[in-house]
Amino acid sequence: MIVEIRDEVVTLSGTLRRNRWATLQSAVNVRLRHHPAGIVVDCGGLQLLTPEGARTFRDAAQHIVAGGGRIVLANVPPEVMQVLRQTPNLGSQLPIAATVADARASLGLEISRPRSVAGGGTGTAVAAGLLGTEADSHAVAMACRLAYSMQATVYLIYLLVVPRNKPLLAALGDQEEAARGALERLEAAVRTARLRPAPRVERTRDPAGRLVAVASEVRADAITLALPPGSSEELNALAEAVLARADCDVVINRLPAPQSGAVPAAPVLIAGGGRH
Amino acid sequence: MPEWIAHPEEWGVAALVAAVAMIGIFVLLRLILGGARSLRGTAAAALPAKQYQRVLLPASPETGYSEEVVSLACRLAGSGGHAAAAIVLTYVIEVPRALAPNAEMPEEEAAAQRVLDEAAASVKRCGLQPIIRIRKARGVLEGTLRAIGEEKADLLVLMVPSGSISPNSPSPAASLTRELARRAPCEVVLARTAAALV
C-alpha cells in the first residue's frame, strides 16, 4: 500500500490486505494536530481491500473519534465499498463522501461548490497539467489566457510518472532533470506574461488522479491540458480521466497535425462529467 | 587617521570622491543584476501566441449552445493586445435524404435562428462581433467539418456534453463531439465546465 499525506487528506493506493493502522497512526496524529476537525481518506487508488485490511479504517475511526475529530472516506471504488459494507460495525458507521471536495466540505473545511472560469468566475488559480510533451507550452499558454482576466495564479503541475516497479521516491535521473528544466522555462514564461507562477513536480503513479487532486487542493478554477498531434492512447486516456474526475472546469487543447488536413492517428476520448 | 581629516579645506574633495565612488558601485551593481535578469529571461520558454483569426462554435439540435461555451470562446478569441478573432456561430440542420439538399425547412430554420440569435447576443455581451451561419447538410458531422474549411476556422471550440458518457454507450451528442475532435483539421479546444457536474 502507498500512502500520501497532504494537509488533512490521506491518499491510499495499491492493496490493503492487513491492518496498517499501527503504521499510519503517528502520521495521522501529526495531521490531526494541524487539522483537529478530522481527516479525509481518499480511497480512489485502492485496488484491493480485504476484511483484515478494512480493520485499518475501524481502528482509525475509533482513535480519531475518541480525540474529538472525524474521519471521512472519499472516492471509494465499488469493490472496496463492498468489503467495507460486509465488515461488521464499519460500513454503516463510516461517513463516506463522493469526492474529496465533498469530504472536506463535510468536515467544515470548505464549501463544496463547482469552481469555474468559463462562466466568467472570479477565480484565483488555474492549473496547467504538464505531461512532458512538446504540447506542454500550449497548456501553459491556455492557462495564462484563462488566468489573465482575473490575475489568477498559474499552477504548473509537472506529472512525473513513477513506474510501478520502482519506489515512489526513486531517483529518476534524466526525467527529473527534464522536469526541472521545463518548469524553470515555463515559470519564466508565465512571469513574462505578468502572471504569478507556482511550479511543482508531482511524483505519482496515477497522473490523472494526482492532477485532479492537486487542482482541488489549490482550489483551481480550471485545469488545462494539451495533447500533441496524434497523441498516444495513454495520453488520451489521461485526458479522459481528468475530464471525468475534476470538480472544476477542464480545458483540453488538441493540437493539429503539422500538415493541415491530416487526421490524427489516435482519437481524443471524451468522458462524462459525473462526480465520483 | 587619514591625513585629509586634519585639513577641513579638503573635506569637500573627499565628499566628492566618495559620492563618485558610490555612484560607480551603484552602476556596477545594476549592470551585474540586470545582466543576470536578462540571462534568466533568455531561459524562458516562448509560449505559443494562441492568437486565432476565426473561432468556430458549432451547434446542432443535439448540442445547442451553453452560456459557458460562448464565454470560453470569447476568452480564447479575446484580443490580449492583438486584434480579436471573429467568432463564427454555425448551426447545422440535418436534411433528410428524402428531401433536396437545399430544401426549405422553415421550422428547423426558425429554431436554428433562435439558437444563433441567443448565442450571438452572448458574444456581443463579451464585446465581440459574431458571425452567424445556418448550414444544411446530410449529417451534422460532415456539415461541421465542411464549415471548418469554408469558414477558414483555426480553432474549433467544443463542449463535452454533461452527463456520463461511456465510450461503450455514448450519447449521440457525445459521439458527435468525439468525432469532431478527432477529425477536425484545425486546433481543437474541448471543454467541460464545472456547471456540467451539478
Side-chain angles (χ1 to χ4, degrees), chain A residues 114-121 137-138 140-142 144-146 149-150 185-186 188-190 192 240 242-256 260-261 263-264 266-275, chain B residues 40-41 43-52 67-68 71-72 75-79 155 159-167 174 177-198:
Chain A
R115 302 182 304 281
S116 174
V117 293
S137 60
H138 288 264
V140 177
M142 198 58 78
C144 289
R145 178 61 73 91
L146 295 176
S149 61
M150 51 191 186
R185 288 191 299 276
L186 292 167
V190 173
T192 305
E240 180 187 14
V242 173
L243 278 166
R245 291 158 73 175
D247 60 356
C248 59
D249 292 352
V250 179
V251 174
I252 310 285
N253 189 190
R254 201 221 66 187
L255 304 178
S260 184
V263 176
V268 172
L269 301 175
I270 300 166
R275 281 191 174 203
Chain B
R40 279 200 300 275
L47 293 181
K50 295 288 179 195
Q51 297 293 334
Y52 305 104
E67 191 69 30
E68 288 83 10
S71 172
L72 178 63
R75 280 182 181 231
L76 298 175
S79 63
L155 178 67
M159 191 60 83
V160 176
S162 58
S164 181
I165 306 157
S166 155
T177 307
R178 179 185 294 111
E179 279 303 300
L180 280 173
R182 189 174 76 85
R183 293 173 58 179
C186 62
E187 190 171 329
V188 177
V189 160
L190 189 63
R192 195 227 58 208
T193 63
L197 299 170
V198 182

Side-chain angles (χ1 to χ4, degrees), chain A residues 1 19 23 46 48 54 63 65 102 161 167 191 198 209 245 250 271:
Chain A
M1 182 183 66
N19 187 340
T23 315
L46 261 189
L48 176 73
H63 176 82
V65 171
D102 290 343
V161 181
R191 284 192 201 286
R245 291 158 73 175
V250 179

